[in-house]
Amino acid sequence: MISRSLGPEFGGAVGLCFYLGTTFAGAMYILGTIEILLTYISPNAAIFPIEQDDPQAMLNNMRIYGTCIIAMMAIVVFVGVKYVNKLALVFLACVILSIMAIYAGVIKSAFDPPDFPMCLLGNRVLAKRNLEICAKYISNNTINEALWNKFCITTNESTTCDPYFMANNITEIQGIPGVASGVLLDNLWSAYSQKGSIIERNQTSSVAGEGQKTYSQHYVLTDIMTYFTMLVGIYFPSVTGIMAGSNRSGDLKDAQKSIPFGTILAIATTSFIYLSCVVLFGACIEGALLRDKFGEAVSGQLVIGTLAWPSPWVIVIGSFFSTCGAGLQSLTGAPRLLQAIARDGIVPFLQVFGHGKANGEPTWALLLTAGICEIGILIASLDSVAPILSMFFLMCYMFVNLACALQTLLRTPNWRPRFKYYHWTLSFVGMSLCLALMFICSWYYALVAMLIAGCIYKYIEYRGAEKEWGDGIRGLSLNAARYALLRVEHGATHTKNWRPQILVLVNLDSEQNVKHPRLLSLTTQLKAGKGLTIVGSVLQGTFLDKHVEAQKGEENIKALMTTEKTKGFCQLVVSPSVRDGISHLIQSAGLGAMKHNTVLMAWPHSWKQPTDPYSWKTFVDTVRDATSAQQALLVAKNIDSFPTSQERFADGNIDIWWIVHDGGMLMLLPFLLRQHKVWRKCRMRIFTVAQMDDNSIQMKKDLQMFLYHLRLDAEVEVVEMFENDISAFTYEKTLMMEQRSQMLKQMQLSKNEREREAQIIHDRNTASHSTVAAKSSAAPEKIQMTWTKEKLIAEKHKVKDLNAAGYRDIFNMKP
């Protein structure tokens, strides 16, 4: 149910936890069987003699007997389930008889309560070990030696007695005064105690006195610290059978009708029996005796057995068979659960447990279940096993509730519950209660259970088989994505949130493989898994003819993205011309606010081809399209020489030639690259251009200050050039250092001052641009953007017009 509603990861994780819970429940029932056997049916059968002072002896007996019983039960289950099912009816009959006997005993206690005496010293309950007579003195003032020997130490000179023993009287009261005695009012409120504290009856008066710790062993002590949440954890497994109908849904004639009807009836019946028993026990039995866990005050007799009518053996036999039956049912159900998980194929290493005998009996799963059961048996303490179960069961019920609530909230078309009285808030409350109970019962067990489930979830996510079951989590992801996209749609991106959202344009060869895979390596290094990446490509032709190639190409791109660990989307377009296809991608890739703002492509490998003299035009048009769309354009030259994501540079420089002020994009790229392991150890160097008459030293200082304010760590170099080496376009666009300083100061300016400042800069730029334009029109000259060999030769020819100092400057320039 969970895997089909919330996805295979949740289903597998919770299913395995539920399996572990059912298996440990089997161990708990077997421990209960042995406790009844050794305590009430046949105490002489104990291999290790059971001493009151040595609880370990009982635990060791449980370990040995438990192992034997597991082996026997596993053989019974292996031989055939039909025998288990026949035995189940016998066990059920025993349980019903036991319950009827309890109610009959309660009614009888109203007019004829059983004789069940217990001994008090003051208000403290005495352990009835070797204590036949409950009195300090026997007739004729003869002392009760058995009692005095417990509390008095006699030496040669004198006898020393416990002060509390001397100050208080011994009284004998009835442990089961009956339903008409009014003891219910005394038991109405809670009475929790610390571990090792003496059980007291508050209604009996006593002379205050600590008494010596030496004598505390003769009283009835609490063996564990009690508090509400711990009792909930121990009590909870008794209500874990409510999923039984759902577990057997395959065998029901009309599951849709039977499951709700049967489950609600089962909950009503069990809740009535449990709650009425709690109230009736409180109305019939002394509170001090109820808190005496091992019945030490009544020589270890079974209290409910004594209350029941006609005989204690009805309860003993009923309890024995019910725990036996429950253990057998767990050993039958758990392997089938594991087999179902294994056959789903979502956990690879469990595949072997999907196999079994020819008739489908899960043999291997039964062996594993018996093994895990044995772990529970070796723990041996019921109180240690019970909270583990509670966590696994609570987690299962929590996720069933979550599945129901989620399907309703998502309005999944296939979610049509037939049960009329259902509302998603019920499921949500149920889920919240389960989560709260987990932490109320035992926060550390809850964390351990969640950690186990989390580990299984991640394992299935990474290693599990891909299953498409149309689960609710996928629906939730789509809903969340839609909601997020609609939220992000409003308003432009703030500068602080800006990061390159990249559209990578890749070429495919004749086999539909990516020509330059290093483009994706560079993308991964730039993005480090953050933001949006769309890998786009264009196939020339018509979609009708090329749809198979397009599909293959898309698969190849996705495979390469997985190899390069590029997190993003793939978009392949079939278009009559590559030029139009690229234009369409730049315009329409992405969705809503999740659109690219940067285009990354490789430098064209050949400008002119014999077949197509205008092949350069596609590249130039792409540059113009990116500009028109107001997007940043990154062109990677010699892309095949770029490092792969597996390489690591131990040293080196990333050089930035900051000639045109571009809003900081050039500064951002090396910063982003250095976040990746490949470039982490590289240094950043920034080169900026100054004219001969600029103050280079001041420029360097200003730029260093600018970088300091940007919190970027880089070396700064200022390269001096002649004015005519810097084109008109560059001259206008370059943000001169004085303007940069003004920008920093503007942070403290008012809005009006900022506008005036911007106007002055704009006027100055316009004036300088017109001056340069006038010069260039007066003396037309080819302006080259790059310092090349041809430029050097041209400068040599002009040497006669230059003075000697100017001539020296050319050859002394820093490269």
Side-chain angles (χ1 to χ4, degrees), residues 56-75:
Q56 281 301 318
M58 183 64 172
L59 297 184
N60 289 333
N61 281 318
M62 283 183 163
R63 288 177 183 122
I64 291 170
Y65 275 103
T67 308
C68 299
I69 289 178
I70 277 186
M72 283 163 57
M73 284 186 173
I75 291 164

Side-chain angles (χ1 to χ4, degrees), residues 471-505:
D471 53 86
I473 292 296
R474 190 173 170 78
L476 187 66
S477 303
L478 286 169
N479 261 17
R482 184 186 68 90
Y483 175 75
L485 280 172
L486 290 171
R487 281 288 303 273
V488 176
E489 184 72 14
H490 305 301
T493 309
H494 191 275
T495 316
K496 280 192 284 191
N497 298 333
W498 196 95
R499 59 163 64 241
Q501 315 286 19
I502 300 179
L503 168 65
V504 190
L505 296 177

Side-chain angles (χ1 to χ4, degrees), residues 311-524:
S311 164
W313 284 102
V314 178
I315 298 297
V316 172
I317 302 297
S319 304
F320 181 77
F321 280 131
S322 88
T323 47
C324 257
L328 266 177
Q329 290 292 345
S330 293
L331 275 182
T332 311
R336 278 162 176 68
L337 191 57
L338 182 64
Q339 189 182 39
I341 295 167
R343 282 181 175 171
D344 261 350
I346 51 177
V347 185
F349 72 85
L350 289 180
Q351 299 279 356
V352 66
F353 298 109
H355 309 302
K357 291 197 290 188
N359 61 353
E361 290 293 316
T363 315
W364 291 107
L366 177 63
L367 280 173
L368 180 69
T369 305
I372 296 170
C373 242
E374 181 61 21
I375 294 170
I377 295 294
L378 293 176
I379 294 171
S381 169
L382 268 173
D383 300 328
S384 306
V385 175
I388 302 173
L389 304 189
S390 301
M391 294 309 137
F392 289 144
F393 282 119
L394 276 167
M395 195 183 288
C396 178
Y397 301 149
M398 180 175 84
F399 278 104
V400 170
N401 277 312
L402 173 64
C404 291
L406 195 66
Q407 297 282 17
T408 313
L409 289 172
L410 290 177
R411 294 191 175 89
T412 315
N414 67 343
W415 171 249
R416 300 183 289 275
R418 186 159 282 169
F419 189 64
K420 288 181 202 168
Y421 310 102
Y422 169 73
H423 194 263
W424 68 268
T425 48
L426 271 175
S427 297
F428 191 77
V429 168
M431 183 191 79
S432 309
L433 281 173
C434 287
L435 188 64
L437 263 179
M438 281 177 77
F439 284 94
I440 283 170
C441 289
S442 170
W443 63 268
Y444 44 91
Y445 273 128
L447 290 177
V448 167
M450 284 180 163
L451 185 69
I452 292 169
C455 291
I456 299 168
Y457 180 95
K458 291 313 278 182
Y459 175 80
I460 295 171
E461 194 175 54
Y462 284 118
R463 301 271 304 143
E466 285 292 322
K467 297 284 176 189
E468 187 43 69
W469 286 327
D471 53 86
I473 292 296
R474 190 173 170 78
L476 187 66
S477 303
L478 286 169
N479 261 17
R482 184 186 68 90
Y483 175 75
L485 280 172
L486 290 171
R487 281 288 303 273
V488 176
E489 184 72 14
H490 305 301
T493 309
H494 191 275
T495 316
K496 280 192 284 191
N497 298 333
W498 196 95
R499 59 163 64 241
Q501 315 286 19
I502 300 179
L503 168 65
V504 190
L505 296 177
V506 295
N507 280 339
L508 301 179
D509 58 19
S510 56
E511 295 292 313
Q512 314 309 329
N513 290 320
V514 177
K515 273 187 186 173
H516 303 293
R518 295 288 172 89
L519 264 175
L520 291 186
S521 305
L522 176 62
T523 309
T524 306

Side-chain angles (χ1 to χ4, degrees), residues 78-193:
F78 178 76
V79 169
V81 178
K82 59 175 182 238
Y83 299 109
V84 178
N85 290 337
K86 282 176 183 173
L87 283 170
L89 289 170
V90 178
F91 296 148
L92 178 64
C94 293
V95 173
I96 291 170
L97 276 173
S98 304
I99 293 166
M100 301 296 282
I102 291 170
Y103 286 119
V106 169
I107 294 163
K108 180 178 172 284
S109 74
F111 52 86
D112 183 19
D115 182 34
F116 203 53
M118 54 189 285
C119 219
L120 302 179
L121 173 62
N123 65 351
R124 297 178 180 178
V125 181
L126 285 173
K128 226 178 198 179
R129 290 186 217 110
N130 310 318
L131 190 66
E132 298 298 324
I133 301 165
C134 182
K136 282 187 182 180
Y137 298 95
I138 309 170
S139 56
N140 303 327
N141 290 338
T142 312
I143 62 166
N144 181 357
E145 285 188 26
L147 187 64
W148 284 75
N149 289 343
K150 287 176 187 285
F151 291 97
C152 297
I153 299 168
T154 307
T155 55
N156 294 329
E157 287 84 24
S158 62
T159 300
T160 312
C161 289
D162 178 30
Y164 186 84
F165 171 70
M166 297 304 292
N168 287 281
N169 291 324
I170 292 276
T171 50
E172 188 176 67
I173 61 165
Q174 283 299 326
I176 304 178
V179 77
S181 63
V183 76
L184 177 65
L185 293 171
D186 301 333
N187 291 335
L188 211 52
W189 310 113
S190 55
Y192 301 120
S193 53

Side-chain angles (χ1 to χ4, degrees), residues 498-502 522-528 530 598 634 654 664-677 679-680 684 712:
W498 196 95
R499 59 163 64 241
Q501 315 286 19
I502 300 179
L522 176 62
T523 309
T524 306
Q525 291 155 28
L526 263 177
K527 302 294 289 178
K530 304 289 188 295
T598 306
L634 309 177
I654 302 174
M665 179 77 170
L666 267 174
M667 293 290 190
L668 188 63
L669 290 177
F671 171 77
L672 291 173
L673 278 177
R674 285 183 65 202
Q675 304 299 307
H676 197 272
K677 291 174 185 172
W679 305 85
R680 194 162 286 163
M684 230 165 109
L712 288 174

Side-chain angles (χ1 to χ4, degrees), residues 175 314 519 527 537 624 642 800:
V314 178
L519 264 175
K527 302 294 289 178
S537 186
R624 295 173 72 185
F642 275 58
K800 292 163 189 164

